[in-house]
Amino acid sequence: MSKRGKKKEEAAAAADGDKDNGAAPPAKKGKKEKEPEAPILYEDPPDKLTTNDGRAANMKITSWNVDGLRAWVKKKGLDWVREESPDVLCLQETKCSEKALPQDITSMPEFPHKYWAGSEDKEGYSGVAMLCKTKPLNVTFGIGKEEHDKEGRVITAEFPTFYLVTAYVPNAGRGLVRLDYRKTWDVDFRAYLSGLDEKKPLVLCGDLNVAHQEIDLKNPKGNRKNAGFTAEEREGFTQLLSAGFVDSFRELYPEQANAYTFWTYMMNSRSKNVGWRLDYFVLSSKLMSALCDSKIRNSAMGSDHCPITLHFAV
Amino acid sequence: MSKRGKKKEEAAAAADGDKDNGAAPPAKKGKKEKEPEAPILYEDPPDKLTTNDGRAANMKITSWNVDGLRAWVKKKGLDWVREESPDVLCLQETKCSEKALPQDITSMPEFPHKYWAGSEDKEGYSGVAMLCKTKPLNVTFGIGKEEHDKEGRVITAEFPTFYLVTAYVPNAGRGLVRLDYRKTWDVDFRAYLSGLDEKKPLVLCGDLNVAHQEIDLKNPKGNRKNAGFTAEEREGFTQLLSAGFVDSFRELYPEQANAYTFWTYMMNSRSKNVGWRLDYFVLSSKLMSALCDSKIRNSAMGSDHCPITLHFAV
DNA sequence: CGTTGAATG
DNA sequence: CATTGAACG
């Protein structure tokens, strides 16, 4: 393993107090041997299936960064999906060209309408999908800017009363090598969403690759210089909300800590619930009256992200 | 998968009659649907533990191309080795730098004397090893020519009455891209062995990456243009024998067909015994009186090669 | 830690 | 078909 690789791993894996990356630590000031500390878990409350004004939920959307669709299928991700039975399933990081898709998913009768976007240049990189029970009025790919649309990151489906946008936002990378690109993405993506929103309200879901506030990740202190929690990325998300959108989970559960959707595979982060909330349902303000619930399905396994589910009344 | 990759696979996987790489074949001339044909297996006879003049075997050498030592260890290759209990164990294609060796093998008390050679440039490529119960008088690496000695292909151990050379001979490659290099290797390696042989007789073992005669592979006809059975490689081996060396297995079993040491992982070749004899014990002529037996352990699993074992009386 | 394609066999 | 390191996350 290269020194560089090792170093970066530690940096990105959240510089938390549990980290034990040294050999024998200098026993100074009577510091204790690391005591494991019981993990603080999060249990998502039962689904609320009505709006605040009493209308029944009639649309269920699930979003899941699958971190490699083929491996995720082998790990029985589709069994969980069948159980959840959403009206629309949005997937990110499929890492799979359309021709290499497993039959298990291409043949799924529950979702007669399937849309795939893959990276044009790099095989097995990025990629999103949207699977629908009912046919959208229209489906588009990308955000209408050449420079952003070659990595299979966005699918937009138009439904009668709203747009559904699923996105896999570019990771700023180890050492923030792609933070500059991310900033231009954030600007252009926000413009794209605002443009849509002028026509019809929208639901944005997916891996937005940012933990917005300190409450949205276990170790905010140690991650201010790491991809997903830089000031720039957080500010990008703040500006998105300022443009007339709402983080549905945080709106419903403003004080809820320890609610994460991603845990690095390293250092048993998931079992310790050392995670990040990177996956969101972001709604146009005018759609908030239709919101029933925004769920984190953190017991569903098969990826380093867990799925999230939105209930609303169209 | 690239078109190129697919094509080459078919070429290298032995153009045998069982190959079914077409879609619906034109049903011409009443040709039958491929009928499976029962595989012709080979059962190695019991070990003979005496020389022809009645001396008891007192040296046992095992050679195994492990096709990745780390995976082979996980697949319990070492359990088989413990059972076999050779005096010397020679391994080829370890694909492992010395520092990445699994503890299971570095800590083996059965072999207090261990020697490792790895590729200097490409990590995880080539590599051979020799593990000994008794300490050799001397051990050297390579064949004394810069151009050949950077890929970790040869270890030579000097014992009181003979040299033991283990080798992983360069593969000529898909499309024979490295056949030219192989030819120079064959010349230089032969010179190296002849030089040793002038001082003391030798045992050469390992993956020589050539099937010598038609009897030494299942599908000679279809492989004349493939790595391991070109005229050039076969001629190289013939010339080695002409220089005063003997293919011990073939000497003992001149007519034995279907005796192979390698089967491609593709198309269930091993279960059909569609294989190649690529692994040898080659002995200096003057050592032939010491030969007891030359075995093919084709039931040992863990690699695409099986181990071979030599019994002789030093 | 775990996914993916590339190179190699 | 299977192993390996590289890129990426």
Side-chain angles (χ1 to χ4, degrees), chain B residues 9 70-71 75 265:
Chain B
E9 269 181 29
R70 281 163 289 185
K75 288 181 285 193
Y265 278 123

PDB file of all heavy atoms in Angstrom, chain B residues 9 70-71 75 265, chain D residues 1-5:
ATOM      1  N   GLU B   9      -9.341 -14.384 -25.683  1.00  0.00           N
ATOM      2  CA  GLU B   9      -9.694 -15.449 -24.757  1.00  0.00           C
ATOM      3  C   GLU B   9      -9.949 -16.742 -25.493  1.00  0.00           C
ATOM      4  O   GLU B   9      -9.428 -17.783 -25.144  1.00  0.00           O
ATOM      5  CB  GLU B   9     -10.975 -15.090 -24.001  1.00  0.00           C
ATOM      6  CG  GLU B   9     -10.727 -14.354 -22.715  1.00  0.00           C
ATOM      7  CD  GLU B   9     -12.024 -14.042 -22.008  1.00  0.00           C
ATOM      8  OE1 GLU B   9     -12.985 -14.822 -22.181  1.00  0.00           O
ATOM      9  OE2 GLU B   9     -12.073 -13.046 -21.324  1.00  0.00           O
ATOM     10  N   ARG B  70      -1.279 -15.192  -2.402  1.00  0.00           N
ATOM     11  CA  ARG B  70      -2.203 -14.806  -1.336  1.00  0.00           C
ATOM     12  C   ARG B  70      -3.548 -15.505  -1.482  1.00  0.00           C
ATOM     13  O   ARG B  70      -4.106 -16.028  -0.527  1.00  0.00           O
ATOM     14  CB  ARG B  70      -2.354 -13.280  -1.293  1.00  0.00           C
ATOM     15  CG  ARG B  70      -1.198 -12.600  -0.592  1.00  0.00           C
ATOM     16  CD  ARG B  70      -1.135 -11.124  -0.890  1.00  0.00           C
ATOM     17  NE  ARG B  70      -0.717 -10.842  -2.256  1.00  0.00           N
ATOM     18  CZ  ARG B  70      -0.497  -9.618  -2.730  1.00  0.00           C
ATOM     19  NH1 ARG B  70      -0.654  -8.572  -1.936  1.00  0.00           N
ATOM     20  NH2 ARG B  70      -0.098  -9.444  -3.972  1.00  0.00           N
ATOM     21  N   ALA B  71      -4.047 -15.544  -2.714  1.00  0.00           N
ATOM     22  CA  ALA B  71      -5.304 -16.253  -2.951  1.00  0.00           C
ATOM     23  C   ALA B  71      -5.119 -17.748  -2.692  1.00  0.00           C
ATOM     24  O   ALA B  71      -5.983 -18.403  -2.105  1.00  0.00           O
ATOM     25  CB  ALA B  71      -5.768 -16.019  -4.384  1.00  0.00           C
ATOM     26  N   LYS B  75      -7.022 -20.311  -0.171  1.00  0.00           N
ATOM     27  CA  LYS B  75      -7.685 -21.529  -0.657  1.00  0.00           C
ATOM     28  C   LYS B  75      -7.055 -22.785  -0.056  1.00  0.00           C
ATOM     29  O   LYS B  75      -7.249 -23.876  -0.555  1.00  0.00           O
ATOM     30  CB  LYS B  75      -7.654 -21.557  -2.184  1.00  0.00           C
ATOM     31  CG  LYS B  75      -8.600 -20.538  -2.810  1.00  0.00           C
ATOM     32  CD  LYS B  75      -8.588 -20.584  -4.338  1.00  0.00           C
ATOM     33  CE  LYS B  75      -7.329 -19.953  -4.910  1.00  0.00           C
ATOM     34  NZ  LYS B  75      -7.423 -19.716  -6.372  1.00  0.00           N
ATOM     35  N   TYR B 265      -8.728 -21.608 -16.501  1.00  0.00           N
ATOM     36  CA  TYR B 265      -9.940 -21.491 -15.684  1.00  0.00           C
ATOM     37  C   TYR B 265     -11.185 -21.403 -16.559  1.00  0.00           C
ATOM     38  O   TYR B 265     -12.294 -21.599 -16.103  1.00  0.00           O
ATOM     39  CB  TYR B 265      -9.865 -20.231 -14.816  1.00  0.00           C
ATOM     40  CG  TYR B 265      -9.058 -20.377 -13.538  1.00  0.00           C
ATOM     41  CD1 TYR B 265      -7.989 -19.541 -13.273  1.00  0.00           C
ATOM     42  CD2 TYR B 265      -9.401 -21.325 -12.576  1.00  0.00           C
ATOM     43  CE1 TYR B 265      -7.273 -19.640 -12.090  1.00  0.00           C
ATOM     44  CE2 TYR B 265      -8.682 -21.438 -11.396  1.00  0.00           C
ATOM     45  CZ  TYR B 265      -7.621 -20.596 -11.160  1.00  0.00           C
ATOM     46  OH  TYR B 265      -6.910 -20.692  -9.987  1.00  0.00           O
TER      47      TYR B 265
ATOM     48  P    DC D   1     -16.710 -17.990 -17.174  1.00  0.00           P
ATOM     49  OP1  DC D   1     -17.705 -18.625 -16.330  1.00  0.00           O
ATOM     50  OP2  DC D   1     -16.533 -16.577 -17.235  1.00  0.00           O
ATOM     51  O5'  DC D   1     -15.270 -18.617 -16.903  1.00  0.00           O
ATOM     52  C5'  DC D   1     -15.010 -19.597 -15.909  1.00  0.00           C
ATOM     53  C4'  DC D   1     -13.701 -19.299 -15.256  1.00  0.00           C
ATOM     54  O4'  DC D   1     -12.849 -18.549 -16.138  1.00  0.00           O
ATOM     55  C3'  DC D   1     -13.819 -18.473 -13.978  1.00  0.00           C
ATOM     56  O3'  DC D   1     -13.189 -19.266 -12.984  1.00  0.00           O
ATOM     57  C2'  DC D   1     -13.065 -17.174 -14.267  1.00  0.00           C
ATOM     58  C1'  DC D   1     -12.121 -17.582 -15.380  1.00  0.00           C
ATOM     59  N1   DC D   1     -11.704 -16.510 -16.341  1.00  0.00           N
ATOM     60  C2   DC D   1     -10.352 -16.164 -16.407  1.00  0.00           C
ATOM     61  O2   DC D   1      -9.558 -16.724 -15.657  1.00  0.00           O
ATOM     62  N3   DC D   1      -9.964 -15.221 -17.299  1.00  0.00           N
ATOM     63  C4   DC D   1     -10.858 -14.653 -18.104  1.00  0.00           C
ATOM     64  N4   DC D   1     -10.405 -13.738 -18.977  1.00  0.00           N
ATOM     65  C5   DC D   1     -12.242 -14.998 -18.054  1.00  0.00           C
ATOM     66  C6   DC D   1     -12.620 -15.919 -17.170  1.00  0.00           C
ATOM     67  P    DA D   2     -13.479 -18.913 -11.474  1.00  0.00           P
ATOM     68  OP1  DA D   2     -13.509 -20.197 -10.749  1.00  0.00           O
ATOM     69  OP2  DA D   2     -14.599 -17.979 -11.395  1.00  0.00           O
ATOM     70  O5'  DA D   2     -12.144 -18.133 -11.074  1.00  0.00           O
ATOM     71  C5'  DA D   2     -10.895 -18.767 -11.265  1.00  0.00           C
ATOM     72  C4'  DA D   2      -9.795 -17.757 -11.108  1.00  0.00           C
ATOM     73  O4'  DA D   2      -9.678 -16.964 -12.305  1.00  0.00           O
ATOM     74  C3'  DA D   2      -9.971 -16.754  -9.965  1.00  0.00           C
ATOM     75  O3'  DA D   2      -8.889 -16.902  -9.065  1.00  0.00           O
ATOM     76  C2'  DA D   2      -9.936 -15.394 -10.642  1.00  0.00           C
ATOM     77  C1'  DA D   2      -9.179 -15.707 -11.926  1.00  0.00           C
ATOM     78  N9   DA D   2      -9.437 -14.758 -13.006  1.00  0.00           N
ATOM     79  C8   DA D   2     -10.649 -14.352 -13.509  1.00  0.00           C
ATOM     80  N7   DA D   2     -10.555 -13.486 -14.488  1.00  0.00           N
ATOM     81  C5   DA D   2      -9.182 -13.308 -14.642  1.00  0.00           C
ATOM     82  C6   DA D   2      -8.421 -12.511 -15.511  1.00  0.00           C
ATOM     83  N6   DA D   2      -8.952 -11.711 -16.429  1.00  0.00           N
ATOM     84  N1   DA D   2      -7.082 -12.568 -15.387  1.00  0.00           N
ATOM     85  C2   DA D   2      -6.559 -13.376 -14.459  1.00  0.00           C
ATOM     86  N3   DA D   2      -7.152 -14.171 -13.592  1.00  0.00           N
ATOM     87  C4   DA D   2      -8.491 -14.091 -13.734  1.00  0.00           C
ATOM     88  P    DT D   3      -8.929 -16.130  -7.672  1.00  0.00           P
ATOM     89  OP1  DT D   3      -8.826 -17.148  -6.631  1.00  0.00           O
ATOM     90  OP2  DT D   3     -10.041 -15.161  -7.670  1.00  0.00           O
ATOM     91  O5'  DT D   3      -7.582 -15.276  -7.692  1.00  0.00           O
ATOM     92  C5'  DT D   3      -6.330 -15.911  -7.974  1.00  0.00           C
ATOM     93  C4'  DT D   3      -5.373 -14.838  -8.435  1.00  0.00           C
ATOM     94  O4'  DT D   3      -5.854 -14.315  -9.693  1.00  0.00           O
ATOM     95  C3'  DT D   3      -5.321 -13.628  -7.502  1.00  0.00           C
ATOM     96  O3'  DT D   3      -4.144 -13.658  -6.710  1.00  0.00           O
ATOM     97  C2'  DT D   3      -5.303 -12.417  -8.424  1.00  0.00           C
ATOM     98  C1'  DT D   3      -5.398 -12.989  -9.814  1.00  0.00           C
ATOM     99  N1   DT D   3      -6.355 -12.244 -10.676  1.00  0.00           N
ATOM    100  C2   DT D   3      -5.859 -11.397 -11.631  1.00  0.00           C
ATOM    101  O2   DT D   3      -4.664 -11.212 -11.802  1.00  0.00           O
ATOM    102  N3   DT D   3      -6.796 -10.740 -12.379  1.00  0.00           N
ATOM    103  C4   DT D   3      -8.168 -10.857 -12.276  1.00  0.00           C
ATOM    104  O4   DT D   3      -8.915 -10.214 -13.009  1.00  0.00           O
ATOM    105  C5   DT D   3      -8.638 -11.757 -11.249  1.00  0.00           C
ATOM    106  C7   DT D   3     -10.114 -11.942 -11.048  1.00  0.00           C
ATOM    107  C6   DT D   3      -7.719 -12.386 -10.516  1.00  0.00           C
ATOM    108  P    DT D   4      -4.073 -12.647  -5.502  1.00  0.00           P
ATOM    109  OP1  DT D   4      -3.038 -13.174  -4.607  1.00  0.00           O
ATOM    110  OP2  DT D   4      -5.428 -12.389  -5.003  1.00  0.00           O
ATOM    111  O5'  DT D   4      -3.560 -11.295  -6.194  1.00  0.00           O
ATOM    112  C5'  DT D   4      -2.231 -11.243  -6.707  1.00  0.00           C
ATOM    113  C4'  DT D   4      -2.068 -10.057  -7.647  1.00  0.00           C
ATOM    114  O4'  DT D   4      -3.064 -10.109  -8.692  1.00  0.00           O
ATOM    115  C3'  DT D   4      -2.316  -8.687  -7.018  1.00  0.00           C
ATOM    116  O3'  DT D   4      -1.121  -8.239  -6.439  1.00  0.00           O
ATOM    117  C2'  DT D   4      -2.641  -7.822  -8.227  1.00  0.00           C
ATOM    118  C1'  DT D   4      -3.234  -8.803  -9.219  1.00  0.00           C
ATOM    119  N1   DT D   4      -4.681  -8.600  -9.469  1.00  0.00           N
ATOM    120  C2   DT D   4      -5.078  -7.827 -10.541  1.00  0.00           C
ATOM    121  O2   DT D   4      -4.300  -7.268 -11.283  1.00  0.00           O
ATOM    122  N3   DT D   4      -6.426  -7.734 -10.707  1.00  0.00           N
ATOM    123  C4   DT D   4      -7.402  -8.322  -9.933  1.00  0.00           C
ATOM    124  O4   DT D   4      -8.593  -8.175 -10.184  1.00  0.00           O
ATOM    125  C5   DT D   4      -6.922  -9.099  -8.815  1.00  0.00           C
ATOM    126  C7   DT D   4      -7.898  -9.766  -7.891  1.00  0.00           C
ATOM    127  C6   DT D   4      -5.597  -9.199  -8.649  1.00  0.00           C
ATOM    128  P    DG D   5      -1.126  -7.008  -5.507  1.00  0.00           P
ATOM    129  OP1  DG D   5       0.172  -7.004  -4.842  1.00  0.00           O
ATOM    130  OP2  DG D   5      -2.369  -6.980  -4.725  1.00  0.00           O
ATOM    131  O5'  DG D   5      -1.175  -5.804  -6.551  1.00  0.00           O
ATOM    132  C5'  DG D   5       0.012  -5.084  -6.876  1.00  0.00           C
ATOM    133  C4'  DG D   5      -0.310  -4.039  -7.915  1.00  0.00           C
ATOM    134  O4'  DG D   5      -1.525  -4.404  -8.597  1.00  0.00           O
ATOM    135  C3'  DG D   5      -0.577  -2.654  -7.329  1.00  0.00           C
ATOM    136  O3'  DG D   5      -0.174  -1.678  -8.280  1.00  0.00           O
ATOM    137  C2'  DG D   5      -2.070  -2.640  -7.139  1.00  0.00           C
ATOM    138  C1'  DG D   5      -2.515  -3.441  -8.335  1.00  0.00           C
ATOM    139  N9   DG D   5      -3.786  -4.130  -8.090  1.00  0.00           N
ATOM    140  C8   DG D   5      -4.157  -4.960  -7.068  1.00  0.00           C
ATOM    141  N7   DG D   5      -5.378  -5.403  -7.171  1.00  0.00           N
ATOM    142  C5   DG D   5      -5.831  -4.817  -8.339  1.00  0.00           C
ATOM    143  C6   DG D   5      -7.075  -4.904  -8.981  1.00  0.00           C
ATOM    144  O6   DG D   5      -8.063  -5.544  -8.626  1.00  0.00           O
ATOM    145  N1   DG D   5      -7.118  -4.145 -10.139  1.00  0.00           N
ATOM    146  C2   DG D   5      -6.065  -3.405 -10.616  1.00  0.00           C
ATOM    147  N2   DG D   5      -6.261  -2.723 -11.742  1.00  0.00           N
ATOM    148  N3   DG D   5      -4.895  -3.317 -10.048  1.00  0.00           N
ATOM    149  C4   DG D   5      -4.853  -4.035  -8.913  1.00  0.00           C
TER     150       DG D   5
END
